[in-house]
Amino acid sequence: MTSPARPRPAPPHDGAALNAPHHDGAALYVADEAPALGDTVTVLVRVPRGDGAERVWIRSPHDGEPVFCAGTVDRVTSAETWWRCGLRVRNPVTGYRFLLDGGPRGYRWLNGAGVHAHDVPDTADFRLSVADPPPDWARDGYVYQIFLDRFARSAAAAERPPPPWAEPAEWDDPVASTGVAAGRQFYGGDLDGVTEHLDHLGALGVDTLYLTPFFPAESNHRYNASSFHAVDPLLGGDEALVRLARQVHARGWHLLGDLTVNHCGDTHPWFRRALADPEAAERRFFYFAGPRSDRYADWLGHPSLPKFRHTSAELRRRLLDGPKSVAGRWLDPPYGLDGWRADVANMAGRHGAEDVNAEVARGLRATLRQVNPQALLLAEHCHDASADLAGDGWHGTMNYSGFTRPLWAWVRSPEPQDHHHLGLPVRTPRLGAESFVRAVRAFSAAVPWRSAAASWSLLGSHDSARIRTVVGSAEVAEVAAGLLFTMVGTPMVFAGDEIGMEGRLGEDARRPFPWHRRDRWDRRTMVCYRRLARLRREHEALRRGGLRWVHAAGDALCFLRESARERLLILAARAPHRPLRLPATPLGLTGEAPNLYGGADPLRAVPGEPVTLPGDGPAFQVWRLT
């Protein structure tokens, strides 16, 4: 006699993270992200029904000594309990975390890195700062980076003779990726060329332009400035910048410059005087080996980039401090820059035993506050910027470490690659989605939420390989772009990514924009960027909402972006994967959720049944749950 077949058990639900307590720095959880010293700020913690915590305390150091304050129940829904705590802002930067107790899971801590059933240090605590916040427009922005020599060349550019240092190139010539020629190859892009193509950027949804340096210099990249007091004539001079600024501002956009606060060029008059006269005031602007020595410190072994010594008050007066400084004068009309991206900001003011980096950042921030309180100060920082972002210095950073590097490791092509992982001495690894999420959480947990939100997320820049080369296909590049526009942070796109341009290394990625070769443009990719920009612009949760991780394993990751008015569910897959089965109640799904991006079917809640998300890939999907 044959025994009847036993019914197969239903596969377990995914989305276990939906049962974890959650808090982040978004407005949904923090009543005031810019409090004054002495204020008490209401903060909320959501505890899913499946967690069962019975008591919640907030823990925050007061003058270095931890103080606990008991939370109270704010509201109860069918899926979760919201707890309310009062956070006293006792110090300029106030860290805090939550202690949960009771229920089946008992004693545990909640901080920016997640939930822990053991004691944890303060390094990943949530943070509130009393410093003035980043300008409000920056959080809603979409930044477009332009490498000036390679973006566009106006008719006037042909009339300007190339300088003696340059090796002139035609627009279709291959880029010199190594050696001396890499810095000397001169294509002749200019500022009027940028102005002539603003309609292209407007169609993409761009609202912020970031220009690489426009000061005179003996290189195509212009990071070795020979002056800070004029626009390079090869770019059209001061009037060309005025024309561009007027057109940008007439569209309601913002314009950012690139300031080298760590060094100048070896042809700069300050440095030439320092070399010529040991008694000159400028001698103290740089690091010389001795009172009469010609040996000096430079940036990473490049003698054309002598390093500034920011312990000089006179240097800071000229370069950083006040409306008449270099940093201040370009913020004023007729140029009216809306802020600066500070080149290698992590190294400025740091040399051996000297470290006045925080003073450099504070001085710049004070100048911006004095000249234009709505100006943005953004740091280039390729590594751990957490120690530099908590106070009244940089508003945010180019988030290579907390976004670009972990994303590359998840979306990179499985085929062998010959480019390195943003400065590491090894090839780009290929890791699972769980590694991506761990890295993102680790870096975001170490900075105030508002700094993370104002920081630039980027798929690449003029200093890296192109995302299309890293991933190897338009389909996976779209997944990467989807995460760029939907995760916490301000999206920054390097000019040309939107048409699928390629490049192995930073120099190779700086190929001229093929305006006259539109047959080479990837139109599907361009439409993708336009749609994603519109999605972000139309949905507050993508610009101002919190982020809750739902699932991350192997080829797929899933998360929620939530504000008080809407909840969006986002699924990203680098390859086909097992369909995800998510519990409807903690997900917050009732009725039908329309698909906003990606073309998948709507999600429907069926009582007692999980919600199944599709397993196709590469794919990027967005649903609106409420």
Side-chain angles (χ1 to χ4, degrees):
M1 182 175 177
T2 303
S3 301
R6 295 182 180 179
R8 295 177 63 185
H13 289 184
D14 300 296
L18 290 169
N19 285 322
H22 181 77
H23 172 87
D24 58 46
L28 190 61
Y29 302 96
V30 178
D32 184 1
E33 69 165 19
L37 205 62
D39 286 354
T40 297
V41 177
T42 297
V43 295
L44 299 173
V45 182
R46 66 194 307 167
V47 179
R49 186 62 53 87
D51 178 87
E54 297 170 348
R55 294 173 295 276
V56 173
W57 291 265
I58 191 168
R59 172 200 182 271
S60 178
H62 286 195
D63 301 331
E65 182 66 20
V67 173
F68 289 83
C69 181
T72 59
V73 173
D74 182 79
R75 61 188 184 274
V76 178
T77 73
S78 60
E80 57 203 2
T81 299
W82 289 71
W83 292 77
R84 181 178 68 252
C85 299
L87 174 63
R88 176 78 182 280
V89 181
R90 180 70 177 259
N91 303 109
V93 178
T94 298
Y96 63 98
R97 65 177 186 258
F98 301 95
L99 173 63
L100 294 84
D101 195 30
R105 298 179 183 175
Y107 174 91
R108 58 210 184 280
W109 295 97
L110 170 63
N111 64 9
V115 180
H116 315 271
H118 55 80
D119 286 2
V120 291
D122 294 352
T123 50
D125 281 3
F126 304 107
R127 290 170 177 82
L128 275 181
S129 173
V130 302
D132 53 296
D136 200 54
W137 60 264
R139 190 171 299 185
D140 294 330
Y142 169 9
V143 183
Y144 191 84
Q145 182 194 14
I146 292 176
F147 187 81
L148 288 171
D149 183 58
R150 313 287 167 83
F151 182 67
R153 187 166 54 189
S154 72
E159 302 172 5
R160 302 179 191 120
W165 58 262
E167 298 180 9
E170 296 299 322
W171 207 249
D172 284 336
D173 286 352
V175 169
S177 297
T178 58
V180 175
R184 292 180 178 174
Q185 192 176 30
F186 180 72
Y187 287 87
D190 62 359
L191 288 163
D192 285 324
V194 177
T195 303
E196 291 169 2
H197 290 91
L198 293 182
D199 286 346
H200 170 79
L201 307 188
L204 288 175
V206 168
D207 59 20
T208 303
L209 269 64
Y210 152 46
L211 309 176
T212 54
F214 49 71
F215 299 118
E218 294 190 356
S219 69
N220 54 40
H221 52 73
R222 297 183 172 86
Y223 283 99
N224 54 331
S226 58
S227 170
F228 292 123
H229 295 287
V231 174
D232 193 337
L234 296 171
L235 294 173
D238 290 4
E239 288 305 312
L241 181 60
V242 172
R243 288 190 290 271
L244 175 60
R246 285 174 178 166
Q247 290 294 320
V248 167
H249 292 142
R251 294 168 180 257
W253 300 356
H254 297 88
L255 182 64
L256 302 174
D258 199 333
L259 185 62
T260 53
V261 293
N262 178 71
H263 53 260
C264 64
D266 61 349
T267 58
H268 197 289
W270 295 349
F271 183 68
R272 304 315 300 178
R273 285 196 289 270
L275 272 179
D277 181 4
E279 304 303 321
E282 291 82 2
R283 183 81 176 182
R284 291 181 287 278
F285 291 10
F286 305 93
Y287 292 94
F288 285 94
R292 302 281 171 179
S293 175
D294 288 342
R295 291 192 299 117
Y296 57 91
D298 56 37
W299 181 71
L300 298 183
H302 295 276
S304 64
L305 302 173
K307 184 177 175 65
F308 284 135
R309 186 172 193 168
H310 282 282
T311 52
S312 166
E314 177 62 14
L315 169 65
R316 293 204 304 269
R317 185 189 69 80
R318 295 189 197 181
L319 184 65
L320 309 176
D321 296 341
K324 295 183 179 180
S325 68
V326 171
R329 69 179 295 262
W330 294 97
L331 303 176
D332 265 338
Y335 316 104
L337 293 184
D338 298 292
W340 292 105
R341 176 262 200 187
D343 182 59
V344 289
N346 56 306
M347 298 184 72
R350 288 178 169 139
H351 183 71
E354 291 185 359
D355 187 347
V356 293
N357 182 267
E359 294 178 28
V360 173
R362 281 197 298 268
L364 273 167
R365 179 94 161 252
T367 295
L368 268 62
R369 189 184 305 117
Q370 185 177 0
V371 179
N372 177 7
Q374 288 302 305
L376 177 69
L377 182 60
L378 207 287
E380 183 195 21
H381 200 312
C382 298
H383 313 290
D384 180 6
S386 57
D388 300 335
L389 292 180
D392 55 353
W394 320 114
H395 286 127
T397 185
M398 298 177 78
N399 197 9
Y400 287 102
S401 58
F403 182 81
T404 314
R405 285 163 65 137
L407 180 66
W408 276 25
W410 185 55
V411 298
R412 61 144 283 189
S413 168
E415 300 300 320
Q417 307 231 327
D418 62 354
H419 59 267
H420 289 259
H421 191 51
L422 292 170
L424 295 183
V426 297
R427 304 300 182 187
T428 304
R430 181 172 164 87
L431 305 174
E434 53 271 54
S435 296
F436 170 71
V437 171
R438 288 191 194 108
V440 169
R441 294 194 73 167
F443 282 100
S444 63
V447 301
W449 178 267
R450 70 188 196 187
S451 297
S455 291
W456 291 352
S457 302
L458 59 157
L459 303 179
S461 72
H462 71 295
D463 287 325
S464 76
R466 290 273 188 180
I467 186 63
R468 185 63 165 268
T469 301
V470 172
V471 303
S473 74
E475 293 77 15
V476 181
E478 181 175 355
V479 175
L483 293 171
L484 174 74
F485 282 93
T486 59
M487 289 183 62
V488 177
T490 302
M492 190 216 85
V493 169
F494 180 33
D497 278 354
E498 77 275 14
I499 60 169
M501 288 181 65
E502 299 186 7
R504 287 189 312 109
L505 304 167
E507 291 292 343
D508 187 38
R510 301 175 187 180
R511 302 175 190 179
F513 199 108
W515 295 108
H516 62 308
R517 305 287 187 190
R518 296 190 181 230
D519 56 310
R520 299 179 183 175
W521 294 18
D522 186 330
R523 300 287 175 173
R524 168 183 165 170
T525 296
M526 191 159 62
V527 170
C528 151
Y529 274 73
R530 288 174 177 173
R531 292 184 59 210
L532 288 167
R534 183 169 64 250
L535 184 75
R536 186 175 187 271
R537 184 172 61 251
E538 293 176 352
H539 291 278
E540 177 195 55
L542 297 179
R543 295 176 283 106
R544 305 289 177 133
L547 186 150
R548 273 201 297 161
W549 294 104
V550 174
H551 172 87
D555 294 323
L557 61 87
C558 183
F559 58 95
L560 289 161
R561 294 300 309 273
E562 300 167 295
S563 70
R565 287 186 285 271
E566 64 178 355
R567 178 184 295 118
L568 304 182
L569 179 67
I570 295 156
L571 171 66
R574 69 182 181 186
H577 59 96
R578 176 179 57 81
L580 303 184
R581 303 172 75 252
L582 304 177
T585 299
L587 193 63
L589 175 61
T590 58
E592 184 174 284
N595 183 273
L596 303 180
Y597 187 95
D601 292 335
L603 301 178
R604 294 178 177 86
V606 178
E609 294 292 329
V611 178
T612 301
L613 273 54
D616 55 311
F620 187 78
Q621 308 286 350
V622 180
W623 293 272
R624 189 173 191 269
L625 301 185
T626 56

